[in-house]
Amino acid sequence: LWGTTLTENTSNNRELFVRTTLRELLVYLVFLVDICLLTYGMTSSSTYYYTKAMTDLFVNTAGESGVRFQSISTMADFWTYAQGPLLDGLYWTKWYNNESLDSGDQSFIYYENMLLGVPRMRQIKIMNNSCKVHNDFKDEITGCFDVYSEKKEDDLSFGLINGTAWTYHTEKEIKGSSHWGLLTTYSGAGYYQDLSQTKEDSTIILTELMDNLWLDRGTRAAFIDFSTYNANINMFCVIRLVVEFPATGGAIPSYQIRTVKLIRYITHWDYFILGCEMVFCLFILYYVVEEILELRIHKFSYFKSIWNILDIVIIMLAIVAIVFNIFRTVKVDKLLGKLLEQPGIYADFEFLAFWQTQYNNMNAVNLFFAWIKVFKYISFNKTMTQLSSTLGRCAKDILGFAIMFFIVFFAYAQLGYLLFGTEVESFSTFVKCIFTQFRIILGDFDFDAIDRANRVLGPIYFVTYVFFVFFVLLNMFLAIINDTYSEVKEELSSQKDELQITDIIKQSYMKTFTKLKLKKEKISDVQKALRSGSGEIEFKDFRETLKEMGHADHEISAAFSRFDRDGNQILDEDEQDKMKIELEEKRDALCAELNNLGMTYGKELLEKPRLTSDEQNHHSSHTFVDREQFIKLARQVLHLESSVAGITSRIELIMEKLGIQDKAVGDETAEKLTVTNSDV
């Protein structure tokens, strides 16, 4: 059951190697189909449109003042957005004609998406005097607020002091999570304020926060978190709007919208996916046992193959996915139960949405590796080994080239960062410089921005980079690949042809063809035996006729007893008619099947491309026959076998008779000796 090319001794048996690999490939293709169904069953095109609808509403919609979320540049813009487009988008309690939605205080965004719980606003502050002011400016500048650092977070109460909005809470207390912003990574702690279920109450809360200067110089980031659920498509949308306030002043808005499927099993399709998940678990168990057996046999040499390492990676990712699937189901049920009991609390789906997104990413990577693993099972074919052979052979050359390439590449990256980093966004950080230079190689660049940043060194940087990296280094890389591929191609063409999958298929085809032909010949022989008899046919005559044609005793007895209903060892006319009818039907069916096989084989011969002169010379030592010649040779072999069988049976009969005569002569001699002794 777990036999593979690593557990079976296939080194000296090419046919066993191909058959084992083919069986592994078929089993793996079933596993691949199952994992594809699981991965694609977790998402749909509705996910994109749900995300787009929420993005258009909360990010791209402007209020009466014209402020959109993406256009926020000051703290004043933040409050304008929060009291305008944000509240208008969160609370939908009436139709477009001002008729009530009849949903009470519950908001249904776009009339379809239920707002879960209440939204939450949170900010993170930095302590005053967290940085030093130069002595020359101490009289004019009284406070100094450094760039964000978790160690410099302000944890003192301020403003109205009482209430969660004015009191610091740790990440553990509010069950928060860190956030990777555009400038830095922020902790899940800070000062928070939950809004209300109604627009009017939320407006009062926001006005109070703004009037009492909730955001000040120490604020480094403000977060707005809320979640919605669409029952039509069974999707959760977890939204986080972030406005970062850097130490330079101003505001940098960003957002994160995660549309995930947290409730898994509702529709028939969901339960079909559940069945696929069970099959997936069985496959993982199967492959775990298989890898353990291979590891026991090969010990540490098992890890020398990249394919074995890939097997372990796929299995480990799959096990993590199974564990998370169970955890996610339990956690969602618990959170929804709490939310239904207290609808006025903040619904914190951020943690689940984050890990669900990582789960989807992990499944995507696992599916990618699973597809790459197909090369493991088709690599015995000469054509399929070209890629792996080329990459493996030129690996050292590519490694040496990569060192030379990245020396030049990083030199230009640092040059670009220092020259244009203060003015061009795509060069503002060293990491952005690296990606920008890869984009230049692909033809995606903004030369005007470089030229404006430095009118002298900008064009020099651009021209020399394109010349050395694009025209010289990139073409050297392609030359290495092309030369190695040519060598591999030449070696593969000169190699001796080994047994391939196509050869196995052809062998199976010809064996099937021969068996059907033999079966047809047997039926014809039985029909001849029936025609040779007149009236009733005795078993003795039937047996002797078929024995002369080379058939075995057990085949003759089985065929005769099947139609001898009364068991009197005689076939009457009715029994003969039934046998003839059934034999004729079988003969017609076999003829049709043979014709279909012949047509398929002939079509393959016609579609087979002509051999070139080199290939003809290469294969000149092999002899090929067409279908008609093969059938003729097979028939001759059958007749030869039947003749040999007849001769063998006659020889046995003669030997039996000779044995009887020898015994009789011996008996007579013994009697004469006895008489002679008695006379004496």
Side-chain angles (χ1 to χ4, degrees), residues 257-359:
I257 298 179
R258 292 192 175 105
T259 302
V260 292
K261 187 175 183 179
L262 297 178
I263 302 177
R264 294 299 305 276
Y265 312 115
I266 294 181
T267 64
H268 295 297
W269 172 255
D270 294 335
Y271 284 103
F272 171 74
I273 296 298
L274 176 61
C276 292
E277 289 175 350
M278 295 180 180
V279 174
F280 178 77
C281 293
L282 294 177
F283 267 114
I284 295 303
L285 180 62
Y286 170 83
Y287 283 117
V288 167
V289 175
E290 180 181 284
E291 299 306 315
I292 291 175
L293 292 176
E294 293 179 356
L295 191 59
R296 287 182 59 188
I297 294 173
H298 297 277
K299 301 295 190 280
F300 290 105
S301 61
Y302 170 87
F303 296 98
K304 293 181 179 179
S305 173
I306 187 65
W307 298 116
N308 295 336
I309 297 175
L310 186 61
D311 289 339
I312 294 177
V313 170
I314 292 174
I315 290 173
M316 295 301 296
L317 290 176
I319 292 174
V320 173
I322 292 171
V323 173
F324 177 79
N325 205 9
I326 298 172
F327 167 77
R328 185 265 321 283
T329 303
V330 174
K331 192 74 174 178
V332 169
D333 290 341
K334 182 179 179 181
L335 186 58
L336 286 178
K338 183 178 179 181
L339 183 62
L340 292 174
E341 292 176 0
Q342 299 174 298
I345 64 173
Y346 165 66
D348 187 10
F349 284 92
E350 174 64 28
F351 175 80
L352 282 176
F354 171 79
W355 286 109
Q356 178 66 36
T357 303
Q358 306 312 312
Y359 171 76

Side-chain angles (χ1 to χ4, degrees), residues 303-588:
F303 296 98
K304 293 181 179 179
S305 173
I306 187 65
W307 298 116
N308 295 336
I309 297 175
L310 186 61
D311 289 339
I312 294 177
V313 170
I314 292 174
I315 290 173
M316 295 301 296
L317 290 176
I319 292 174
V320 173
I322 292 171
V323 173
F324 177 79
N325 205 9
I326 298 172
F327 167 77
R328 185 265 321 283
T329 303
V330 174
K331 192 74 174 178
V332 169
D333 290 341
K334 182 179 179 181
L335 186 58
L336 286 178
K338 183 178 179 181
L339 183 62
L340 292 174
E341 292 176 0
Q342 299 174 298
I345 64 173
Y346 165 66
D348 187 10
F349 284 92
E350 174 64 28
F351 175 80
L352 282 176
F354 171 79
W355 286 109
Q356 178 66 36
T357 303
Q358 306 312 312
Y359 171 76
N360 295 342
N361 296 339
M362 180 178 60
N363 283 336
V365 173
N366 205 13
L367 181 61
F368 171 78
F369 286 146
W371 275 106
I372 296 299
K373 188 183 169 184
V374 174
F375 283 103
K376 173 184 178 180
Y377 301 109
I378 62 176
S379 59
F380 63 86
N381 183 276
K382 288 200 303 182
T383 304
M384 299 302 173
T385 55
Q386 293 180 14
L387 176 62
S388 58
S389 299
T390 301
L391 294 178
R393 180 169 298 185
C394 67
K396 292 183 179 179
D397 293 333
I398 290 179
L399 180 61
F401 168 80
I403 296 174
M404 177 177 58
F405 174 83
F406 282 110
I407 289 175
V408 177
F409 187 83
F410 285 123
Y412 272 100
Q414 294 182 29
L415 178 62
Y417 172 63
L418 296 174
L419 290 179
F420 320 118
T422 58
E423 297 185 38
V424 183
E425 182 183 1
S426 55
F427 287 88
S428 58
T429 65
F430 184 71
V431 175
K432 286 185 178 181
C433 285
I434 293 174
F435 287 106
T436 300
Q437 292 190 158
F438 279 120
R439 290 169 57 187
I440 292 176
I441 294 176
L442 299 175
D444 180 17
F445 55 86
D446 186 2
F447 176 76
D448 292 335
I450 297 174
D451 186 51
R452 285 194 302 268
N454 196 317
R455 296 178 62 183
V456 177
L457 295 179
I460 296 175
Y461 161 86
F462 181 79
V463 172
T464 56
Y465 174 78
V466 170
F467 176 77
F468 284 110
V469 175
F470 185 77
F471 289 109
V472 178
L473 294 178
L474 187 60
N475 283 284
M476 287 178 61
F477 173 75
L478 295 177
I480 293 172
I481 298 293
N482 287 332
D483 290 345
T484 308
Y485 179 75
S486 299
E487 294 175 4
V488 171
K489 189 76 173 177
E490 185 178 354
E491 286 188 8
L492 290 177
S493 62
S494 62
Q495 284 181 0
K496 182 181 177 181
D497 287 337
E498 294 181 327
L499 192 65
Q500 306 290 340
I501 282 186
T502 53
D503 300 325
I504 296 293
I505 295 174
K506 287 181 180 178
Q507 288 179 7
S508 302
Y509 168 83
M510 298 313 297
K511 287 179 181 179
T512 305
F513 191 88
T514 305
K515 288 180 181 179
L516 292 175
K517 194 68 180 177
L518 290 173
K519 197 170 183 181
K520 180 182 175 183
E521 295 291 343
K522 290 180 181 179
I523 292 175
S524 299
D525 292 343
V526 176
Q527 289 177 330
K528 289 178 183 178
L530 290 174
R531 286 195 295 268
S532 65
S534 58
E536 297 179 343
I537 299 177
E538 295 184 0
F539 174 71
K540 181 180 179 182
D541 299 331
F542 185 81
R543 177 178 177 275
E544 289 179 357
T545 302
L546 290 179
K547 281 275 286 184
E548 292 176 358
M549 297 179 182
H551 295 281
D553 286 335
H554 68 277
E555 294 177 344
I556 300 171
S557 301
F560 190 90
S561 60
R562 183 177 177 186
F563 294 95
D564 185 17
R565 305 294 183 184
D566 49 13
N568 59 356
Q569 298 292 306
I570 297 175
L571 292 178
D572 56 28
E573 293 183 358
D574 292 337
E575 292 171 338
Q576 291 180 43
D577 292 338
K578 291 180 180 179
M579 180 180 280
K580 289 177 181 178
I581 292 171
E582 184 168 337
L583 290 174
E584 195 64 34
E585 291 176 353
K586 288 185 176 180
R587 182 181 175 84
D588 293 340

